[in-house]
Amino acid sequence: MNGGDEVIAAPAGPPNPLDWKFSQVFGERTAGEEVQEVDIISAIEFYKSGDYLATGDRGGRVVLFERTDTKDHGGSRRDSERMDYSISRHPEFRYKTEFQSHEPEFDYLKSLEIEEKINKIRWCQTANGALFLLSTNDKTIKFWKVQEKKVKKISEMNVDPLKGTGNGSIASSSSSAIHLANGGSQEGYLSNDFSFPPGGIPSLRLPTVVSSHETSLMARCRRVYAHAHDYHINSISNNSDGETFISADDLRINLWNLEISNQSFNIVDVKPANMEDLTEVITSAEFHPTHCNTLAYSSSKGSIRLVDLRQSALCDSHAKLFEEQEAPGSRSFFTEIIASISDIKFGKGGRYILSRDYMTLKLWDINMDSGPVATFQVHEYLRPKLCDLYENDSIFDKFECCLSGDGLRVATGSYSNLFRVFGCAPGSAEATTLEASKNPMRRQVPTPSRPSRSLGNSITRVVRRGAETPGVDANGNSFDFTTKLLHLAWHPTENAIACAAANSLYMYYA
């Protein structure tokens, strides 16, 4: 059950705070342009080498981006993996392709509309130069293959003009090409008014198909995994064995084989015999990055369960339980709502788990279930406004979280299109707030943090932004709860973050 040691376990000392800079933006709207609902980004995922980035949106589309700076400088994927993580580089990406992954559906048996919105994207292992990925909406998971294919053209479609006689006319080889429906083209075609001369044509040649130097990207759906979830799918996660993956909804987690789409195995089922006895639901699930028998899932009660697939076929009994005890007298109407975990992520080596609830980020050591090893206050300034947040449903917003590849920092999003980066090495007080805005000259917002307090095994760091009053900017304006940065991802090998603000994808590096 022990994971590999990560850098965070025994660093030489707290690293210096990073100086974040704006890198790129994709899909930024012009002033006054309204954001279309279907264009809002709903999922972000880096490929494990960092060479590719995928986003999904509420319109059911998947957009792929490709890293270009390593290619421009003669680097390769293997070179980028060997590079020292501390070397500051400027990752640059470009648009590669996009495809329609999901369409809106209607479940006639349940009279239920199924949105096309992409909930999660997960990259799979590449093969023969092709990219593979899983994408899911509320009910259906799809397995996609994206590959460059050479465009094929039809050539030698004409007869030899020297042999043709009679009253017909033959199209010359200089005729304009016909572009075929399959992407090919027909060079030198026969004209419609051609008629065969007396005695026939002895030199008629059959058409041949040749590959041209042109290539085009083709996305093909290889498999569809459907009809296995009664509730909305909130997570999918690939196993390190490269053959299986899990999908999770509110009450069940299913195990799939990538090659088999018509059956899955239910490995976790928290549905009670009587639904009135239901006290918690599954909110997120993820496989351990290196141990193919271990996975973790979080609940709406703020707990994380670690399960071992070797123990039994149905993993309702957990191997370890991680939860933080409530402080006496601190319970309120909102306690359970804000305790619900919206996202969990394993660290690269698998020893640490990062969780995000509404108010905080928590870092857990899987070898220590007495409590989190670090707690980072994200929304403490919103505590007096919980009633308002409940009224406008903002309290149910599901913010994601991510860890840096070296395990020294964590990040998550907030309101007003802000995202926050915390240092999690022992002794680090790093706490930076940045805003995903359209000003390319923007600088990071200074965020003084209070001194760290030691609470047993827990370290609490508080972030504040701007003016004296938390939740109010330097101009005295309240935070905008209608703009929120829910989705972000950290580059696997470098200090670079991709984050989504509405329909725009922002890239930062340090």
Side-chain angles (χ1 to χ4, degrees):
M1 191 69 69
N2 294 336
D5 289 338
E6 298 178 40
V7 182
I8 185 176
N16 295 325
L18 296 177
D19 179 24
W20 290 93
K21 299 180 181 67
F22 168 77
S23 172
Q24 291 174 280
V25 59
F26 297 94
E28 189 168 47
R29 61 188 184 277
T30 57
E33 181 185 351
E34 288 190 13
V35 178
Q36 300 297 317
E37 180 82 8
V38 294
D39 294 331
I40 295 176
I41 297 173
S42 56
I44 302 178
E45 182 80 1
F46 275 107
Y47 183 68
K48 62 181 180 180
S49 69
D51 288 344
Y52 302 98
L53 174 67
T55 66
D57 62 26
R58 294 187 183 181
R61 290 165 300 191
V62 172
V63 183
L64 304 185
F65 300 88
E66 181 180 33
R67 185 167 180 176
T68 58
D69 58 301
T70 52
K71 290 185 176 181
D72 293 342
H73 294 92
S76 66
R77 183 178 305 168
R78 188 176 297 239
D79 294 335
S80 66
E81 289 175 352
R82 281 202 303 263
M83 287 198 64
D84 184 0
Y85 191 90
S86 62
I87 297 176
S88 178
R89 302 178 64 205
H90 185 172
E92 291 182 359
F93 287 80
R94 69 178 176 192
Y95 170 86
K96 186 174 179 69
T97 189
E98 68 180 79
F99 56 90
Q100 189 72 31
S101 175
H102 288 72
E103 301 279 359
E105 300 175 47
F106 189 82
D107 187 336
Y108 292 97
L109 294 176
K110 298 182 179 178
S111 295
L112 184 69
E113 287 187 25
I114 303 172
E115 291 183 345
E116 66 271 37
K117 171 191 167 189
I118 305 295
N119 290 342
K120 295 288 179 183
I121 295 174
R122 290 292 180 264
W123 289 96
C124 304
Q125 294 178 353
T126 60
N128 300 324
L131 302 174
F132 296 89
L133 52 88
L134 291 167
S135 63
T136 184
N137 65 352
D138 287 339
K139 296 291 184 181
T140 306
I141 307 158
K142 294 186 178 182
F143 183 45
W144 289 91
K145 177 182 181 180
V146 182
Q147 189 175 31
E148 282 193 356
K149 290 196 172 183
K150 288 188 176 181
V151 176
K152 295 190 175 181
K153 293 185 176 182
I154 296 175
S155 66
E156 300 182 5
M157 190 66 182
N158 61 308
V159 299
D160 188 343
L162 298 177
K163 301 287 186 181
T165 58
N167 59 359
S169 63
I170 298 178
S172 68
S173 59
S174 61
S175 302
S176 59
I178 294 178
H179 293 280
L180 304 179
N182 63 0
S185 64
Q186 179 176 313
E187 304 282 354
Y189 61 93
L190 286 171
S191 65
N192 291 331
D193 59 350
F194 172 77
S195 59
F196 286 92
I201 304 174
S203 61
L204 179 65
R205 292 191 297 245
L206 294 175
T208 57
V209 178
V210 297
S211 295
S212 68
H213 295 294
E214 300 174 26
T215 59
S216 65
L217 275 168
M218 303 286 290
R220 188 161 66 93
C221 184
R222 295 286 304 275
R223 286 176 189 85
V224 178
Y225 313 89
H227 312 301
H229 287 278
D230 291 330
Y231 302 92
H232 290 175
I233 299 171
N234 55 49
S235 304
I236 51 175
S237 178
N238 297 98
N239 197 345
S240 58
D241 63 9
E243 298 178 358
T244 57
F245 70 94
I246 54 170
S247 59
D249 64 20
D250 290 346
L251 299 180
R252 291 188 174 97
I253 300 177
N254 293 331
L255 179 68
W256 301 82
N257 188 302
L258 281 167
E259 301 295 325
I260 303 170
S261 60
N262 59 359
Q263 68 176 358
S264 63
F265 298 94
N266 179 224
I267 56 175
V268 175
D269 188 348
V270 300
K271 184 177 182 179
N274 185 352
M275 285 295 284
E276 292 181 359
D277 299 330
L278 183 67
T279 58
E280 63 181 331
V281 296
I282 298 168
T283 57
S284 183
E286 187 169 81
F287 260 119
H288 190 283
T290 56
H291 299 332
C292 61
N293 57 283
T294 305
L295 62 94
Y297 68 92
S298 60
S299 82
S300 57
K301 277 194 167 181
S303 60
I304 302 172
R305 290 172 172 84
L306 206 64
V307 298
D308 191 337
L309 296 174
R310 297 171 300 184
Q311 291 183 347
S312 64
L314 191 61
C315 304
D316 289 344
S317 58
H318 52 268
K320 285 191 177 182
L321 174 66
F322 305 94
E323 59 184 357
E324 192 170 27
Q325 300 301 319
E326 289 180 28
S330 64
R331 192 168 182 80
S332 70
F333 172 77
F334 303 108
T335 299
E336 284 197 14
I337 300 175
I338 62 177
S340 177
I341 295 175
S342 56
D343 190 28
I344 59 170
K345 291 286 195 314
F346 271 102
K348 190 174 183 179
R351 178 175 172 181
Y352 294 91
I353 300 175
L354 181 67
S355 68
R356 171 69 203 269
D357 56 48
Y358 190 73
M359 304 297 283
T360 65
L361 272 174
K362 292 186 175 76
L363 190 67
W364 307 79
D365 186 332
I366 67 171
N367 299 323
M368 188 179 73
D369 52 10
S370 58
V373 294
T375 300
F376 311 95
Q377 299 294 343
V378 181
H379 280 164
E380 186 61 30
Y381 68 89
L382 293 178
R383 198 171 289 276
K385 303 179 181 180
L386 291 179
C387 282
D388 297 334
L389 294 164
Y390 180 78
E391 289 292 328
N392 62 22
D393 286 343
S394 294
I395 200 170
F396 301 106
D397 288 334
K398 293 175 169 46
F399 292 93
E400 294 180 358
C401 59
C402 57
L403 299 93
S404 61
D406 59 5
L408 296 177
R409 294 172 180 87
V410 296
T412 190
S414 182
Y415 294 104
S416 298
N417 288 340
L418 300 177
F419 68 97
R420 304 184 171 192
V421 180
F422 301 90
C424 56
S428 173
E430 180 178 354
T432 307
T433 301
L434 298 103
E435 181 178 1
S437 65
K438 62 182 181 181
N439 175 14
M441 303 303 293
R442 56 188 164 279
R443 297 180 61 83
Q444 67 185 46
V445 183
T447 52
S449 61
R450 298 176 187 171
S452 301
R453 292 185 296 132
S454 178
L455 301 175
N457 291 318
S458 176
I459 302 171
T460 303
R461 303 188 184 95
V462 181
V463 172
R464 298 173 59 194
R465 173 184 183 266
E468 291 294 320
T469 308
V472 178
D473 64 20
N475 300 319
N477 299 317
S478 298
F479 273 75
D480 182 4
F481 297 114
T482 61
T483 57
K484 45 200 144 190
L485 200 149
L486 301 176
H487 311 285
L488 77 171
W490 201 300
H491 191 282
T493 60
E494 297 179 35
N495 285 321
I497 292 177
C499 52
N503 66 323
S504 302
L505 178 68
Y506 291 92
M507 313 285 289
Y508 287 82
Y509 74 100

